[in-house]
Amino acid sequence: MAAKYILAIDQGTTSSRAIIFDLNGKVIACNQQEFPQIFPSDGWVEHDPEIIWQSVKHTSQQVLEEAGISSSEIISLGITNQRETTLVWDKNTGKCIYNAIVWQDRRTSEQCKKLRNIVGLSEKVQSKTGLVLDPYFSATKIAWVLDNVEGARLKAEKGELLFGTIDTFLLFRLTNSMQHLTDATNASRTLLFNIHENRWDDELLSLFNIPLQMMPEVKDSAADFGVTDVNIFSPAISIGAMAGDQQAALVGQGCLSKGMMKSTYGTGCFMMVNTGDKVVQSAHQLLSTIAYRINGQTTYALEGSIFMAGATIQWIRDGLKFIDCASESEGLAQQIAYDHQVYMVPAFTGLGAPYWHAKARGTISGLTRDSGIKEIVSAALQSVGYQSRDLIMAMKKDGAHPHSIRVDGGMVANDWLMQFLADMLDFDVLRSREVETTALGVALLAGVHSGVYNGLDELKNIYKSDITFTPEMSDKQRQHLYQGWLGAVNAALNITEQ
Ligand code: ADP
């Protein structure tokens, strides 16, 4: 039977998914499995590598079985993944020597703080990697494993240990220990990769005390990553793409030219704008990162994130118990005008870009005797629009000029919020027809590698928007509402101990 499908593995923070796409980018079948989060100590977050591996193996075998599709019908496999999460394993046994340390884990905060205090170091790290010196990224997590697991450093120096982000670990397992590779997007999240020169940086490896021999070889995002072991799929499937989740979503949203932007509104929000073949260095603590690398050509992106997006609505539901389900927020917000003067600054876990105040905490301000649930729910949704505007303003100041935004994630089902977003950003908001944009992105990259598509230009035609939200608000009202938000943020920062 002729091969006519692409398989994508989407290994996320709370679940693993395997999705089969046809060559038009349509989902044919999907299988998903959630797995436990491990919180060993305050601020620590881990995953069990064996459970992750089993969930990936299970969902990808299961999806083929349920769809009645043989692996011979799969042209190529792509892997997309939660980024920065760090694993270290024994080269010979393939067993991890410690749990996966998840991107959210803050155990290396002190170490990062010490490094930030070294004059000029933050600037140097940013100029090489595009990132900020923060526990979020892999480097200090790797060092932590080497320093805290007995005998690990010695073994690493002898070349007996390997490092990988989730993509690399899954590839190692899928290929029966044959391949120790990553792609440029995942490499660009480690704090060890020079994004201008596209190589592991010796100076950074020695700064973080990480032996080069642990590091995977870095390939293009669409490349030959080897073939799966026959004990997993028979016949074997060739692996043609790997990309970090946000970068894969950028591709899945068809943001393949300079200035095109996507934003994913889930628990948090990740906004990314394609900056073409130039690294745009941020003066506002946005991250510069690799969007994708194809045929040796690197495309860059600028990224900003909001810690609390859908999570604010979860709090309204589970904490305040104002609503029974997230979608009820839309009906409540619709009942009142935008201009109710109530602002919620959802700094539950601090504020990210462009403020970067780890210790800031949330506020609700502007309450009057007639304020009620509707105003608070509206203010919670509006906070997502205002924070998005904050990020766009920072991107513009940094020299990126987005002209529209393509959105995905659970929150985009809320039409009221999407209209408010268009009004606040003052440009079109396009909601994708395909909800699985992350998996689609890596499937498309795998298709490019296997020759299904003739390069990126063909991918642009696959994107279809479901609906476009167009700005309707007057400039005057936008400015008025946004000034109120900036005032609320200032007040929140002023009452927070810095
Ligand atoms: P993640 O992938 O981060 O787990 P999802 O993309 O599945 O998140 O989105 C889930 C989030 O979206 C939840 O935090 C939920 O509160 C929010 N959400 C879902 N539907 C709506 C809605 N109609 N209006 C507002 N928020 C919503």
Side-chain angles (χ1 to χ4, degrees):
M1 214 178 292
K4 48 184 187 276
Y5 302 109
I6 299 173
L7 176 61
I9 290 172
D10 179 359
Q11 204 303 300
T13 310
T14 55
S15 73
S16 299
R17 265 187 286 209
I19 299 176
I20 301 173
F21 290 95
D22 71 11
L23 303 186
N24 296 316
K26 185 168 164 280
V27 173
I28 299 297
C30 175
N31 194 279
Q32 175 168 0
Q33 200 173 79
E34 290 197 10
F35 55 83
Q37 309 291 308
I38 304 168
F39 305 109
S41 175
D42 187 23
W44 293 30
V45 190
E46 298 179 1
H47 291 157
D48 181 331
E50 295 308 325
I51 291 182
I52 295 242
W53 163 239
Q54 287 305 329
S55 71
V56 166
K57 193 170 143 190
H58 176 80
T59 51
S60 50
Q61 288 174 336
Q62 199 64 24
V63 77
L64 289 173
E65 199 179 312
E66 281 169 15
I69 289 173
S70 145
S71 60
S72 63
E73 295 174 82
I74 303 289
I75 299 172
S76 187
L77 166 64
I79 303 171
T80 182
N81 54 290
Q82 51 166 319
R83 304 173 301 172
E84 298 103 10
T85 296
T86 296
L87 299 110
V88 177
W89 62 92
D90 187 300
K91 191 178 188 170
N92 299 314
T93 65
K95 288 264 177 252
C96 289
I97 62 165
Y98 191 78
N99 273 343
I101 305 186
V102 179
W103 55 275
Q104 296 153 324
D105 190 289
R106 309 296 298 171
R107 77 186 65 188
T108 56
S109 294
E110 277 310 308
Q111 163 75 358
C112 289
K113 202 164 151 194
K114 274 191 206 138
L115 291 170
R116 281 197 303 268
N117 285 337
I118 301 174
V119 177
L121 194 59
S122 295
E123 291 75 10
K124 176 180 268 186
V125 168
Q126 190 199 15
S127 75
K128 288 183 175 213
T129 66
L131 308 176
V132 291
L133 250 173
D134 192 271
Y136 191 91
F137 307 103
S138 314
T140 55
K141 298 184 197 297
I142 309 173
W144 188 93
V145 174
L146 297 185
D147 291 333
N148 288 277
V149 175
E150 205 184 324
R153 186 161 288 287
L154 197 64
K155 282 181 93 177
E157 274 154 14
K158 284 201 273 177
E160 292 169 12
L161 296 183
L162 300 177
F163 154 74
T165 37
I166 293 277
D167 54 315
T168 306
F169 171 68
L170 293 178
L171 183 73
F172 194 79
R173 289 289 175 99
L174 283 165
T175 61
N176 194 19
S177 314
M178 296 294 285
Q179 305 291 348
H180 183 228
L181 307 170
T182 188
D183 91 296
T185 68
N186 277 295
S188 77
R189 315 296 298 186
T190 57
L191 268 182
L192 299 166
F193 194 66
N194 187 314
I195 60 171
H196 307 271
E197 295 169 8
N198 262 288
R199 59 175 181 80
W200 298 121
D201 190 283
D202 291 334
E203 195 182 1
L204 294 176
L205 286 165
S206 90
L207 173 75
F208 292 105
N209 206 4
I210 293 165
L212 176 63
Q213 61 260 43
M214 295 182 76
M215 305 303 286
E217 184 191 331
V218 184
K219 295 221 156 199
D220 284 356
S221 315
D224 179 3
F225 287 97
V227 292
T228 58
D229 182 52
V230 283
N231 290 319
I232 301 170
F233 300 112
S234 180
I237 304 174
S238 47
I239 303 160
M242 301 210 295
D245 53 8
Q246 300 309 320
Q247 282 90 338
L250 190 77
V251 175
Q253 291 269 28
C255 297
L256 301 164
S257 323
K258 190 173 163 183
M260 293 186 80
M261 176 163 66
K262 75 93 196 172
S263 194
T264 300
Y265 292 96
T267 309
C269 154
F270 293 90
M271 201 179 259
M272 201 177 244
V273 58
N274 184 323
T275 61
D277 59 5
K278 299 266 173 323
V279 178
V280 173
Q281 204 77 258
S282 177
H284 303 90
Q285 304 219 60
L286 300 173
L287 307 175
S288 316
T289 200
I290 293 181
Y292 42 85
R293 199 176 88 191
I294 295 174
N295 296 328
Q297 294 281 322
T298 306
T299 299
Y300 296 92
L302 203 55
E303 177 178 325
S305 50
I306 299 170
F307 301 152
M308 297 281 291
T312 311
I313 302 302
Q314 276 168 16
W315 176 72
I316 300 257
R317 185 192 64 191
D318 305 336
L320 299 182
K321 304 201 187 316
F322 285 174
I323 50 177
D324 292 324
C325 67
S327 58
E328 273 176 41
S329 61
E330 181 167 356
L332 287 168
Q334 261 166 3
Q335 294 174 34
I336 52 169
Y338 285 160
D339 197 2
H340 45 68
Q341 309 291 335
V342 177
Y343 287 92
M344 180 185 295
V345 180
F348 295 76
T349 55
L351 282 174
Y355 306 103
W356 289 101
H357 279 270
K359 290 185 179 163
R361 289 296 174 262
T363 58
I364 299 176
S365 60
L367 296 172
T368 58
R369 286 293 293 269
D370 57 353
S371 306
I373 290 178
K374 288 174 200 162
E375 284 74 15
I376 290 175
V377 168
S378 168
L381 290 172
Q382 285 176 319
S383 74
V384 175
Y386 294 131
Q387 290 179 94
S388 299
R389 186 174 170 89
D390 288 340
L391 289 179
I392 301 273
M393 302 294 271
M395 284 175 173
K396 284 187 175 166
K397 284 187 207 149
D398 281 335
H401 293 287
H403 38 70
S404 66
I405 186 168
R406 295 181 172 186
V407 295
D408 56 51
M411 281 197 113
V412 306
N414 190 317
D415 286 358
W416 185 92
L417 174 61
M418 292 302 101
Q419 184 56 48
F420 185 71
L421 192 61
D423 286 334
M424 237 341 101
L425 302 184
D426 196 19
F427 50 55
D428 287 353
V429 171
L430 286 78
R431 183 164 65 198
S432 165
R433 191 182 293 176
E434 177 49 66
V435 286
E436 296 288 356
T437 49
T438 305
L440 174 63
V442 84
L444 294 178
L445 289 171
V448 167
H449 178 68
S450 51
V452 174
Y453 311 111
N454 288 323
L456 292 183
D457 278 341
E458 205 178 323
L459 300 189
K460 290 178 189 164
N461 305 327
I462 288 183
Y463 174 83
K464 300 269 179 309
S465 84
D466 144 44
I467 178 167
T468 300
F469 296 86
T470 310
E472 288 167 359
M473 190 183 276
S474 71
D475 228 16
K476 191 166 165 233
Q477 190 182 13
R478 178 169 29 255
Q479 290 307 335
H480 173 70
L481 288 173
Y482 187 61
Q483 286 309 315
W485 161 257
L486 294 178
V489 171
N490 261 334
L493 296 177
N494 281 337
I495 57 167
T496 306
E497 176 208 348
Q498 293 304 318

